[in-house]
Amino acid sequence: MESVAAFSGSIPGQMLLAIGQTVVVVCVCFDMVRALSVPRSHRRYLASTVFRTLAIPSIIVNGLTVLIALVLWSWIDVVMGMFVLMAIIFRLHHDKDEDNWWKGKGKKLARWARRQLAGRTAAAPAMG
């Protein structure tokens, strides 16, 4: 735990935390744009795509920030970080019917992966 506190206080640690918090802020801003945009508009489509893309990295970064605040015994930072973390998670799971680039990609990526793996495991033809 001391190494976590030492790294978070170093220049590289501070830079990584700043970049991570920038990702969180951008994610929350695009969620606000998504919430205020007209349904089925191109602006909402783009905002929803960016939010869905940045939501998981934002959750990870914010979780690490909360962990660092917990190690440093900064309870107000823990509470504020947990609030932001729960808000992002709630917003990620709340609007499932949004149209975005990721919609339907899970099945397409699974089919692509199956085709890639199937091509590699096929037996070579016998030499005759």
Side-chain angles (χ1 to χ4, degrees):
M1 292 298 174
E2 291 175 15
S3 61
V4 171
F7 179 73
S8 69
S10 68
I11 297 293
Q14 288 292 315
M15 289 180 65
L16 284 174
L17 287 173
I19 292 169
Q21 287 304 314
T22 303
V23 170
V24 173
V25 169
V26 169
C27 178
V28 171
C29 288
F30 273 97
D31 185 39
M32 187 170 48
V33 169
R34 179 181 69 148
L36 297 175
S37 297
V38 177
R40 296 186 185 91
S41 67
H42 184 67
R43 181 178 177 181
R44 189 171 180 132
Y45 174 82
L46 287 176
S48 181
T49 299
V50 172
F51 172 73
R52 291 255 177 219
T53 303
L54 295 179
I56 300 299
S58 295
I59 291 169
I60 293 169
V61 165
N62 214 16
L64 289 174
T65 304
V66 168
L67 178 67
I68 291 169
L70 190 63
V71 167
L72 297 175
W73 293 82
S74 178
W75 296 109
I76 191 72
D77 290 338
V78 171
V79 171
M80 290 188 317
M82 287 302 295
F83 175 76
V84 172
L85 189 64
M86 291 300 113
I88 292 172
I89 292 171
F90 175 77
R91 293 293 295 164
L92 180 64
H93 289 290
H94 180 65
D95 294 326
K96 286 292 187 183
D97 61 341
E98 284 288 319
D99 187 26
N100 59 52
W101 186 84
W102 292 104
K103 193 170 189 172
K105 292 295 182 208
K107 291 179 184 175
K108 291 178 184 175
L109 288 172
R111 264 187 255 130
W112 176 82
R114 263 187 261 127
R115 274 185 276 138
Q116 295 299 317
L117 292 174
R120 292 185 181 164
T121 58
M127 299 283 291

